[in-house]
Amino acid sequence: MARLDVPLFPVKSPGLTVAFWLHPFDVGVLRTVLSHDWGGDGKFQINLTAGRLIGRFRADGGVYEVTLPGIVPHRWQHVVFTFTPGEKGVVEAHLDARHTVRAPATGRLSSSRHTLTIGGIQPGVPGLVDNLRLYNRPLTTAEVGAVYTAEGGSDWVELYNASEGAVDLAGLSVSTRRDFSDRTPLLGQAVSRGTVVVSVDFEGRGRMPRYLLNGEKVLQEILPEPQRGVGSVSYTHLTLPTNREV
């Protein structure tokens, strides 16, 4: 992604939450995802290397970090880092609101205004960052889960057949979980140049990727658009493979 600088970005509270969606193309080489003037007197930095995100916070008690494993390429994942101030403070990191790691910290963040860099110092992070949110306090685990599930949703999956013939849906399914445990099987056929709309009710629906599967093989992965207002219905559009014509 291209580098984006936000000058004089304020950090005014003793605690902080940094939340975002990440879709890296390469997770092996060290890259900076976010930096609040870490080379100066900024308050946080998040680096990506070897399939891990390393979050660092600079408080008046020192520099504290936590390492979040499980970052994979070519897949959207929701990431949250929090700093809780105090004599028995804590730095936490959450992945997809399911996996949490934490480390002890001491002190509080002091008020400061520095450049917030998104996408890192050159050469920058190879991938995408979306829906970056910063809160002036540490979110609780329940609040992290609420943010994860609230950022969009999909009540319907629309499957488009771009081929000249009908496509057999037997053996295909859609899912949101990386272990495919919530898959919804597809049945019937999709006519040529036509669509099939499937109702879904994934547990904890949120702005999670939708997978089109053939058995255990991922044919397509897509991140749905956020819902437009409370109570709205959104669609996820997937394209069927053309090599399944009947």
Side-chain angles (χ1 to χ4, degrees):
M1 68 170 293
R3 170 176 168 171
L4 174 64
D5 289 333
V6 183
L8 298 178
F9 186 88
V11 173
K12 299 181 178 180
S13 59
L16 188 68
T17 295
V18 182
F20 57 94
W21 288 86
L22 180 66
H23 188 291
F25 302 148
D26 181 0
V27 299
V29 181
L30 176 63
R31 294 287 190 270
T32 299
V33 180
L34 298 169
S35 177
H36 186 245
D37 190 25
W38 190 252
D41 189 35
K43 299 308 172 188
F44 64 89
Q45 181 187 59
I46 299 173
N47 291 331
L48 171 64
T49 183
R52 300 169 295 141
L53 284 171
I54 302 172
R56 295 186 176 96
F57 291 86
R58 180 181 285 118
D60 54 17
V63 173
Y64 303 96
E65 72 174 48
V66 64
T67 299
L68 181 65
I71 307 302
V72 296
H74 306 293
R75 185 168 295 173
W76 283 104
Q77 293 176 284
H78 189 245
V79 178
V80 178
F81 284 89
T82 65
F83 179 86
T84 301
E87 293 184 3
K88 296 183 179 181
V90 64
V91 180
E92 291 185 325
H94 306 262
L95 180 63
D96 289 339
R98 297 189 183 97
H99 309 291
T100 302
V101 292
R102 53 181 56 89
T106 302
R108 49 194 285 137
L109 304 179
S110 59
S111 179
S112 66
R113 286 179 176 268
H114 293 284
T115 298
L116 172 63
T117 300
I118 306 169
I121 312 303
Q122 293 296 335
V125 62
L128 304 171
V129 175
D130 190 26
N131 208 4
L132 171 64
R133 296 186 178 196
L134 286 91
Y135 301 83
N136 62 0
R137 62 179 179 85
L139 296 184
T140 65
T141 300
E143 289 173 324
V144 169
V147 170
Y148 174 66
T149 58
E151 291 183 350
S154 179
D155 293 307
W156 306 93
V157 173
E158 183 177 83
L159 302 153
Y160 175 65
N161 176 17
S163 63
E164 296 294 336
V167 169
D168 185 8
L169 301 182
L172 300 182
S173 60
V174 292
S175 177
T176 64
R177 297 187 184 276
R178 284 179 289 172
D179 61 2
F180 313 141
S181 59
D182 66 343
R183 72 172 71 211
T184 299
L186 304 179
L187 302 172
Q189 294 182 355
V191 299
S192 173
R193 308 296 181 183
T195 59
V196 175
V197 179
V198 181
S199 175
V200 296
D201 187 20
F202 296 122
E203 179 184 356
R205 290 174 305 176
R207 198 158 182 250
M208 298 177 288
R210 277 30 172 175
Y211 303 106
L212 176 62
L213 308 170
N214 182 9
E216 300 301 313
K217 181 181 180 181
V218 177
L219 300 178
Q220 188 179 0
E221 175 186 347
I222 191 170
L223 189 69
E225 291 297 319
Q227 290 175 295
R228 307 302 181 186
V230 177
S232 63
V233 176
S234 62
Y235 285 80
T236 301
H237 301 270
L238 297 169
T239 302
L240 292 167
T242 58
N243 60 353
R244 293 177 59 94
E245 291 185 38
V246 295

